[in-house]
Amino acid sequence: MRWPLRRKLFAIIASGVVMLAVVMAVLVDRTVVREINATENQNLEHTRTAFESLQAYRRDQLLERCRLVSELPYFKAAAAVFDPSLPLSEQTEAIATVREVALRILSRVNVDLLARSTTGGDPVAVEGQTAAAPSRPIPGLDSLVRRALQHSNAEGVVALDKGIAHLTAVPLSIGGFELGTLALGTLLSTELTNSLESMTGSAVALLGPGGLAAASRGVPAGAEAELLRAWNARSRNTEQTLAVKLGKTTYRTQLIPLLGPRGNHAGAFVIMRSEAPAVAFRSGVREGVVGISAGAVIVALLLSFFFSRHITTPLRALVAFTERVGPGGLEARAAIRRGGRGTAR
């Protein structure tokens, strides 16, 4: 069945308009998705930069305090009492002296951990709220001690029983004789994660080998198990960006490894951003685009209908005129007016 010219024109124009509307909707949707992804990745990077800046500030403060304590005369005197070559009974008394002074310093200096070590990295005294037991070895402390003795100071992140701590160590000496090192440490605590969340709007967590060491207020319930599963499923020493689904909400998550003094993984700095606002924004844009496209298509279809009628009416008049002239009807007339209507007489 052959379509009249009017229908053909209408179908051609309508299909073109619909295709154009679909292409525009797809392009707008892709642009919105690209912009959302770029914004969310920028937010993750902003949180990471804020964390690194805070860590740099804390490192500088810790190094300054460490050097200050290492130069205190009464601490040097207490540190000099310990001699690793002495019998165990005498060492115990010397350690008690060092511990007493260490506790006095901890009460006056804003740090969470104090560790006095020999030149070989063996702990003489470990005091503070991060210490599980007096003189218990700290993972990576021996490496930290060696680096401090070689380079005048060293710093690193260590995993402890009660969380993750940042340690800074400096050499300890009297009259040019090396006694070992002094290390001070601060916990990477909930106070830090809450501060970062307030600054950046991202939920922040610190993940240790045994689970969450600290978490900001925005970290959702049940995140610990999912984060540990994701961390254990890949290389712990590799930065990861992944989607973590908790309930009906998906979180864009970045896991940044925290390396210890030996280069081993001591934990991970975790940034979590809910994708719910982005999904809602994208849905709103899609609804708007669909509404605008539907309205544009309807208007275009109406215009194309009148346009096709405007063109085909005079064309039909011309066709009728030629049909009359063909057999010899030379008196026939074709009247075509500016309004688009025509008649043949």
Side-chain angles (χ1 to χ4, degrees):
M1 182 180 69
R2 295 180 61 184
W3 280 16
L5 182 59
R6 180 186 295 177
R7 287 189 179 181
K8 288 182 180 179
L9 285 173
F10 178 75
I12 292 171
I13 296 173
S15 59
V17 169
V18 171
M19 287 181 63
L20 180 62
V22 171
V23 170
M24 290 298 296
V26 171
L27 289 176
V28 169
D29 185 67
R30 289 186 177 180
T31 302
V32 170
V33 171
R34 186 167 57 249
E35 289 298 322
I36 288 174
N37 288 333
T39 300
E40 289 302 309
N41 289 334
Q42 187 177 6
N43 289 331
L44 291 176
E45 188 61 29
H46 175 56
T47 305
R48 176 177 181 165
T49 302
F51 172 69
E52 291 173 350
S53 298
L54 281 177
Q55 282 295 91
Y57 174 72
R58 288 159 65 99
R59 279 197 300 269
D60 292 341
Q61 280 196 323
L62 202 56
L63 179 58
E64 182 180 351
R65 291 170 183 168
C66 206
R67 285 173 173 167
L68 178 64
V69 172
S70 68
E71 294 299 327
L72 290 175
Y74 67 89
F75 180 74
K76 282 189 172 184
V81 170
F82 177 80
D83 184 354
S85 63
L86 293 175
L88 183 60
S89 58
E90 297 183 28
Q91 285 186 6
T92 302
E93 184 177 349
I95 289 173
T97 302
V98 176
R99 287 189 59 196
E100 181 181 353
V101 174
L103 289 171
R104 193 187 312 165
I105 291 172
L106 278 173
S107 65
R108 298 179 182 179
V109 181
N110 187 24
V111 294
D112 300 308
L113 174 77
L114 186 151
R116 155 80 171 93
S117 304
T118 65
T119 54
D122 298 322
V124 177
V126 179
E127 299 299 332
Q129 67 182 56
T130 57
S135 303
R136 179 170 180 172
I138 298 176
L141 182 61
D142 53 346
S143 299
L144 202 67
V145 168
R146 287 193 293 269
R147 283 167 45 198
L149 293 173
Q150 292 174 0
H151 305 290
S152 75
N153 67 80
E155 55 89 19
V157 177
V158 296
L160 303 172
D161 290 346
K162 296 184 180 180
I164 300 173
H166 184 271
L167 291 182
T168 295
V170 297
L172 189 62
S173 62
I174 295 181
F177 180 74
E178 291 185 347
L179 301 177
T181 61
L182 165 69
L184 298 181
T186 56
L187 278 172
L188 304 184
S189 61
T190 302
E191 181 183 357
L192 173 65
T193 57
N194 284 334
S195 297
L196 285 169
E197 182 173 339
S198 299
M199 292 168 57
T200 64
S202 302
V204 173
L206 292 163
L207 192 64
L212 282 180
S216 66
R217 291 179 290 269
V219 175
E224 180 175 2
E226 290 297 324
L227 291 175
L228 281 173
R229 188 177 297 112
W231 196 33
N232 292 326
R234 297 172 177 83
S235 173
R236 290 189 170 191
N237 292 345
T238 303
E239 184 176 320
Q240 306 172 33
T241 301
L242 63 155
V244 174
K245 191 168 185 179
L246 298 169
K248 296 182 179 180
T249 306
T250 301
Y251 291 84
R252 189 185 298 256
T253 305
Q254 191 173 45
L255 286 86
I256 303 166
L258 299 174
L259 300 181
R262 297 172 183 167
N264 60 313
H265 62 268
F269 174 64
V270 183
I271 309 169
M272 302 184 71
R273 291 190 64 86
S274 172
E275 294 190 350
V279 171
F281 176 74
R282 183 180 177 184
S283 299
V285 171
R286 279 181 171 176
E287 291 175 1
V289 169
V290 169
I292 293 172
S293 299
V297 168
I298 292 172
V299 172
L301 290 178
L302 291 174
L303 292 176
S304 64
F305 173 78
F306 289 111
F307 180 69
S308 62
R309 184 177 181 183
H310 181 81
I311 292 177
T312 56
T313 299
L315 286 178
R316 283 202 304 269
L318 287 175
V319 171
F321 171 73
T322 56
E323 288 177 350
R324 292 188 180 184
V325 171
L330 300 179
E331 295 180 356
R333 296 289 186 272
I336 302 176
R337 296 187 293 273
R338 289 187 181 180
R341 297 182 180 178
T343 59
R345 299 191 300 271

